[in-house]
Amino acid sequence: MKKQMKFALSFCCLLLASCSNTPSEPPETQETTSRENPDVEVVAENLEVPWSINKAGNTIYINERTGGIIKLEDGEAARMDVSLKEPLAQVPEAGFLGFVLHPQFPDNPSAFGYYTYQNSSSPHNRVVVLNLEGEEWEEGETLLDDIPSGQYHHGGRLEIGPDNKLYITTGDATEEDIAQDQQSLGGKILRMNLDGSVPEDNPFGDSYVFSYGHRNPQGLAWTEAGELYSTEHGPSAMDEINLIQAGANYGWPVITGDEEREGMQPPVIHSGNDTWAPSGAAIYENQLYFAALRGQGVKRLSLDSGEVEDVLSGFGRVRDVFIEEEILYFVSNNTDGRGSPSEGDDKLYRVPLSLLSSAAAEE
């Protein structure tokens, strides 16, 4: 059943600027610049730990870690019920995480979900089909189960690639060594056909594993040329942006930061002694925009120059970003137990990319 909730279409000028930290790292670690925010529109508020932003036509769907899906349509917002077969696990960072609409939605009224549940011994993560029945979502087929879970590091991002495959990020579940174990589903980026089968061109034969050696990847985005980038949480600092290649090993827990080891891929860039806690990502005109939880806003990496800058700050923890028609959408995550919620949190915001670009040009 849909439940009506508060909806806002107001503009606010947020003139909060944060000073950048200069990491004591070699040149591979770029300094983050920052500036004042442009006008940002509040689209919706009073969300409950939102996780993923999806858009179909003029309708926005946002899933919440607590188990709901918000539908924003024709100036109204409603919380849609989601019927899952297993109760959500109550461990930190767990819940209803990844959510992505089927590429043929709404003609195919379904989506894919990733959630953490508790069985008799320990929590696990699973990837499922969610079917839209009227105004409610119902769990259908289980595509992949028994993905490692623990107290932390669940991964959970779902995205459909330009190859029409489903990509899934998984964390190491705080058991670091499983990231290097190709037989484990933890600490990986996985790739599957939309029917749940293993693609014939996956790098390790009859395996969902696409890349490994990851700690807790949280965002996926593709360039127009089809290159895949991921965002990943490092240990305390050393957060990473990685260029993902099929079959590659990204080193965790053997190497971090600028460390090197034969057969292991270093990051494109890392945060050095700073902490971004990067999450959802999107790419537009060779600029990678990514949500920053500890970074308290939205950052942008130029894939040409390697420079990272703060394009939006002062919104608290930001979980996901989404770009369509030169508009950047992003959601705050201040009600996740680690933030400091303000009135109306959490919120969905939007801002024209042209405002961000013009602000950069003025510097």
Side-chain angles (χ1 to χ4, degrees), residues 25 55 67 76 81 129 131 182 208 221 247 258 310 338 362:
E25 291 293 322
K55 195 167 184 286
E76 295 186 0
D81 289 337
V129 175
N131 297 308
Q182 293 182 21
Y208 291 110
D258 295 316
D310 291 315
R338 294 186 174 184
E362 292 171 1

Side-chain angles (χ1 to χ4, degrees), residues 171-235:
D172 68 6
T174 67
E175 296 182 21
E176 297 177 356
D177 291 341
I178 69 173
Q180 289 294 317
D181 180 1
Q182 293 182 21
Q183 303 305 309
S184 171
L185 295 175
K188 308 293 189 295
I189 293 176
L190 309 177
R191 177 176 181 257
M192 68 166 57
N193 294 318
L194 299 187
D195 63 3
S197 61
V198 177
E200 292 183 357
D201 58 347
N202 268 13
F204 300 111
D206 190 25
S207 170
Y208 291 110
V209 175
F210 189 73
S211 63
Y212 66 108
H214 298 287
R215 183 175 182 268
N216 194 24
Q218 293 277 291
L220 297 171
W222 286 262
T223 66
E224 290 186 3
E227 294 179 319
L228 172 60
Y229 285 83
S230 76
T231 65
E232 182 166 342
H233 291 191

Side-chain angles (χ1 to χ4, degrees), residues 14 19 50 81 113 117 124 136 138 191 206 208 215 219 229 262 321 351:
L14 301 172
C19 296
D81 289 337
Y117 68 96
H124 287 79
E136 299 183 10
E138 184 173 334
R191 177 176 181 257
D206 190 25
Y208 291 110
R215 183 175 182 268
Y229 285 83
E262 184 177 357
V321 296
V351 60

Side-chain angles (χ1 to χ4, degrees), residues 25 215 232-240 252 256-257 270-278 294:
E25 291 293 322
R215 183 175 182 268
E232 182 166 342
H233 291 191
S236 299
M238 299 294 181
D239 297 318
E240 298 181 350
W252 176 255
T256 59
H270 63 81
S271 65
N273 293 329
D274 197 4
T275 301
W276 300 331
R294 288 286 296 277

Side-chain angles (χ1 to χ4, degrees), residues 120-137:
S120 58
S121 59
S122 62
H124 287 79
N125 297 299
R126 58 167 42 167
V127 178
V128 302
V129 175
L130 297 171
N131 297 308
L132 182 58
E133 305 285 349
E135 294 296 327
E136 299 183 10
W137 295 86

Side-chain angles (χ1 to χ4, degrees), residues 180 212 247-252 254-255 258-266:
Q180 289 294 317
Y212 66 108
N249 179 355
Y250 289 83
W252 176 255
V254 182
I255 61 171
D258 295 316
E259 297 173 345
E260 297 182 359
R261 181 72 63 90
E262 184 177 357
M264 297 182 178
Q265 298 293 320

Side-chain angles (χ1 to χ4, degrees), residues 5 15 56 95 126 204 272 342:
M5 55 183 295
L15 301 178
R126 58 167 42 167
F204 300 111
S342 299

Side-chain angles (χ1 to χ4, degrees), residues 57-334:
N58 294 320
T59 305
I60 297 174
Y61 294 89
I62 301 173
N63 76 301
E64 300 173 307
R65 208 178 78 187
T66 52
I69 291 177
I70 302 301
K71 179 181 180 181
L72 301 165
E73 185 177 45
D74 297 330
E76 295 186 0
R79 180 168 286 113
M80 308 173 77
D81 289 337
V82 181
S83 177
L84 300 175
K85 294 179 180 178
E86 300 289 344
L88 295 175
Q90 299 302 308
V91 295
E93 300 180 2
F96 182 15
L97 306 179
F99 173 70
V100 64
L101 298 173
H102 191 281
Q104 277 76 55
F105 187 89
D107 292 334
N108 184 329
S110 66
F112 302 93
Y114 181 110
Y115 73 93
T116 317
Y117 68 96
Q118 183 78 37
N119 66 13
S120 58
S121 59
S122 62
H124 287 79
N125 297 299
R126 58 167 42 167
V127 178
V128 302
V129 175
L130 297 171
N131 297 308
L132 182 58
E133 305 285 349
E135 294 296 327
E136 299 183 10
W137 295 86
E138 184 173 334
E139 179 178 341
E141 182 182 2
T142 299
L143 300 182
L144 185 60
D145 208 342
D146 295 327
I147 298 171
S149 181
Q151 287 293 305
Y152 301 100
H153 303 176
H154 308 288
R157 184 65 57 189
L158 299 182
E159 295 290 353
I160 306 292
D163 54 4
N164 210 41
K165 308 297 183 186
L166 179 62
Y167 288 76
I168 306 147
T169 72
T170 69
D172 68 6
T174 67
E175 296 182 21
E176 297 177 356
D177 291 341
I178 69 173
Q180 289 294 317
D181 180 1
Q182 293 182 21
Q183 303 305 309
S184 171
L185 295 175
K188 308 293 189 295
I189 293 176
L190 309 177
R191 177 176 181 257
M192 68 166 57
N193 294 318
L194 299 187
D195 63 3
S197 61
V198 177
E200 292 183 357
D201 58 347
N202 268 13
F204 300 111
D206 190 25
S207 170
Y208 291 110
V209 175
F210 189 73
S211 63
Y212 66 108
H214 298 287
R215 183 175 182 268
N216 194 24
Q218 293 277 291
L220 297 171
W222 286 262
T223 66
E224 290 186 3
E227 294 179 319
L228 172 60
Y229 285 83
S230 76
T231 65
E232 182 166 342
H233 291 191
S236 299
M238 299 294 181
D239 297 318
E240 298 181 350
I241 307 295
N242 287 298
L243 174 59
I244 302 300
Q245 300 174 357
N249 179 355
Y250 289 83
W252 176 255
V254 182
I255 61 171
T256 59
D258 295 316
E259 297 173 345
E260 297 182 359
R261 181 72 63 90
E262 184 177 357
M264 297 182 178
Q265 298 293 320
V268 170
I269 195 170
H270 63 81
S271 65
N273 293 329
D274 197 4
T275 301
W276 300 331
S279 189
I283 294 175
Y284 182 79
E285 293 188 345
N286 233 34
Q287 305 276 342
L288 188 148
Y289 295 79
F290 62 97
L293 294 160
R294 288 286 296 277
Q296 303 279 301
V298 177
K299 297 179 181 291
R300 178 170 62 193
L301 165 66
S302 169
L303 299 180
D304 296 319
S305 70
E307 180 185 4
V308 177
E309 58 183 334
D310 291 315
V311 293
L312 294 164
S313 59
F315 296 89
R317 296 168 63 80
V318 176
R319 172 60 71 181
D320 195 22
V321 296
F322 179 88
I323 296 175
E324 185 181 69
E325 298 179 351
E326 300 184 1
I327 300 294
L328 173 70
Y329 297 82
F330 63 100
V331 285
S332 63
N333 225 212
N334 295 313

